[in-house]
Amino acid sequence: MLTDIQIAESCKLKDVREIAKKLCLEEDDLELYGKYKAKINLKKVNPKSKLVLVTAINPTASGEGKTTVSIGLADGMSKLGKKVCLALREPSLGPVFGIKGGAAGGGYAQVVPMADINLHFTGDLHAITSANNLLCAMIDNHILRGNELKIKEVYFRRCMDMNDRALRDLTIHCNAGNMKGCASFDRAEGFEITAASEVMAILCLATDLKDLKKRIGNIVIGINESGDYIRARDLKADGAMTTLLKDAIKPNLVQTLEGTPAIVHGGPFANIAHGCNSVRATYTAMTLADYAVTEAGFGADLGAEKFLDTKCRVAGIQPDCVVIVATVKALKLHGGADKTTLTQENLQALNDGLPNLLKHVENIQNVYKKPVVVAMNRFYTDTQAEIDAVLEACANAGVKAVFTDVFLKGGEGGKELAKAVIEECDKPSTLHYSYNLNDGVVKKVEDIVKNIYGGEGATFSDEALRKISEMESKGITGLPVIIAKTQYSLSDDAKKLARPTGFKIHVRDVIYKGGANFIVAVAGEVMLMPGLSKVPCAEHIDIDENGNITGLS
């Protein structure tokens, strides 16, 4: 079979203006980036369509294909005559060159131009990185030149869109030299990956340029000698930062291999950020189509929880149906199978791994009260006995499971899934949440652990408790909580697979994100700047003298 990039490069793309017409957009609504990419400059939005959220089980080394299924589902809906638009996240260069690879789907269910989307695209992540680091430069410049604001401790960190563990913890030295009125200083510093930065979160939660500038001004950069928060607007950084983001806030329009419109915009990770594409992208898709298909990162305990508990609250939206993606191979890994034997039938491992899928189903049904469909991304090695075991387990849980062939067949392979999703979308439902916004931070974290992860609660470091007390004493209450933890387990221990019980997560740090307007609880050993794997994807990516790329997936 052809590789992903060979399939993508062999496809004849339509002019993006032709794709825009499917959404009743005129050329004046577009800002063209060549023939196949455009920014959408919609003056007003009216999100009214059915909304489908695609999520997954806890990820494994075998991959689940959540983005692939999202694309194939949208193409399947289109083949059924529905007016549909995708709303996906932008890939980060970190995973592209790291262990995961790109995020444009795979096989015959991809968004294109695939290489452009996976690499620099329209420059949004570069703009976010620049805005973030402009603020950092202004912080250090202010301290160097007399520190009028009496900055005592800096919270805000630099960022870069690349996996680089050497940048996690640094000491920076600002040398005043002979500059009059300036004083040299050293301070601790570190980088986050751009996808985990607060500026990324702000871009994805802002409803318009005015809201974007207000949120950027609210970023807490640190505290002064009196213990009061200092914000980006105190440094007069909000105007310049917003100016850098004036184009990045506009959603990007591309297409699937089959010509279905796809809006790809914003890219926060779900393990160390809130894991959802931009509110503006979702609003735009829901305004222009009858069905909007979106996704949230990693498993439903991370991306979907944050979509439902945070993004839906902020944006005033709710999904009409939730799709949970899994594979037989991944479930067998959760059940203890050796990764070298995944092509062999192993009903014991499958049955031991199924509780992971069923826990996510249970959460959507019983906690969030939303209709759910299970999408099994089929592999040719799946045996009939294994398929029957999954279908039976899902039927006993009261949920329909569909084995889908979108990787090999594109939209044609997604039609059965599309029919099931459309049917569930027609069922009335009202979104419930896993925690009460008005509760304290500790209670909200424990409610997520108990209701979503299936654990017994949480422990907190002294530093985390100190920061919670500091925030609440300043009247910082009633905000969503974003838990940063490993994506591989329902717990904060990556080795506890399937459906662990009896555990507590350990919150080692708590961060108030004043611009994003949420609180991050950092649990376990998760890092906000990832590192490269032993054999990173970068080693396999190449380009020839004619500009033909290989190894990108």
Side-chain angles (χ1 to χ4, degrees), residues 10 66 68 91 103 201 226 239 260 340 345 366-367 373 387 415 436 448 529:
S10 66
K66 177 165 43 47
T68 301
S226 300
T260 301
T340 63
E345 181 175 284
N366 299 337
V367 177
V373 174
I387 292 170
K415 284 168 66 175
N436 188 327
I448 294 172
M529 168 55 86

Side-chain angles (χ1 to χ4, degrees), residues 161 275 384 403 409 499:
D161 188 35
Q384 191 58 50
F403 276 77
K409 300 179 181 178
R499 185 176 182 171

